[in-house]
């Protein structure tokens, strides 16, 4: 008995797009502290409907959620920086801790997503 492996070239093209988006999100995180992640975020929103019904849809959603949660925590860090800078530098310290933890968390999410993509796994909902 033989098995035939059928490769869907459209799915492979979409997987390459998701791979590129993970890399661009990561580069934006490293070189702009996430500020330039807006560009791949827009592409995620545009390309996500094309992957409806595939495991790649969950990867687009994963990157979108990662961006927005990182944005929320970056705003919390900015609040501490601005609102509490005058309290003996306490606000700046809290901002660095919150911002640093948010950066590490997003880096983890991008790495986990990339590795799961390479193993053809869907991301958790």
């Amino acid at each position: 008995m033989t098995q035939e492996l059928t490769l869907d070239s459209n799915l492979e093209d979409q997987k390459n797009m998701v791979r590129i988006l993970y890399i661009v999100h990561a580069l934006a995180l490293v070189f702009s502290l996430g500020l330039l992640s807006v560009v791949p975020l827009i592409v995620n929103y545009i390309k996500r409907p094309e992957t409806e019904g595939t495991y790649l849809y969950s990867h687009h959603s994963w990157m979108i959620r990662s961006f927005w949660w990182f944005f929320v925590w970056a705003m919390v860090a900015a609040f501490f920086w601005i609102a509490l800078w005058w309290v003996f530098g306490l606000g700046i310290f809290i901002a660095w801790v919150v911002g640093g933890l948010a950066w590490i968390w997003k880096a983890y999410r991008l790495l986990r997503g990339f590795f799961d993509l390479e193993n053809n796994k869907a991301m958790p909902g």
Side-chain angles (χ1 to χ4, degrees):
M1 177 159 62
T2 62
Q3 288 184 334
E4 189 175 318
L5 179 62
T6 305
L7 296 176
D8 182 1
S9 65
N10 186 37
L11 186 65
E12 194 59 35
D13 290 343
Q14 291 171 343
K15 183 178 178 181
N16 285 333
M17 174 57 71
V18 172
R19 186 179 292 124
I20 290 167
L21 288 171
Y22 272 118
I23 292 168
V24 174
H25 272 287
L27 290 173
L29 184 64
V30 170
F31 292 111
S32 71
L33 297 178
L35 294 176
L36 293 177
S37 281
V38 171
V39 175
L41 175 73
I42 293 168
V43 177
N44 280 125
Y45 276 115
I46 292 169
K47 292 293 187 178
R48 183 170 62 166
E50 296 174 13
T51 61
E52 186 86 43
T54 69
Y55 73 98
L56 297 174
Y57 187 88
S58 68
H59 284 274
H60 284 292
S61 298
W62 179 263
M63 284 185 272
I64 290 168
R65 281 193 314 272
S66 297
F67 172 85
W68 287 114
W69 278 110
F70 179 75
F71 179 78
V72 166
W73 286 109
M75 290 301 101
V76 169
F79 169 78
F80 281 116
W81 185 285
I82 293 167
L84 296 178
W85 65 270
W86 50 273
V87 184
F88 306 113
L90 181 63
I92 294 171
F93 174 74
I94 293 171
W96 274 100
V97 169
V98 170
L101 289 174
W103 192 95
I104 291 168
W105 174 82
K106 185 163 182 193
Y108 159 77
R109 298 237 334 162
L110 291 173
L111 286 170
R112 178 174 175 201
F114 187 82
F115 293 141
D116 283 354
L117 175 69
E118 294 304 310
N119 291 322
N120 298 321
K121 291 183 184 176
M123 298 311 295

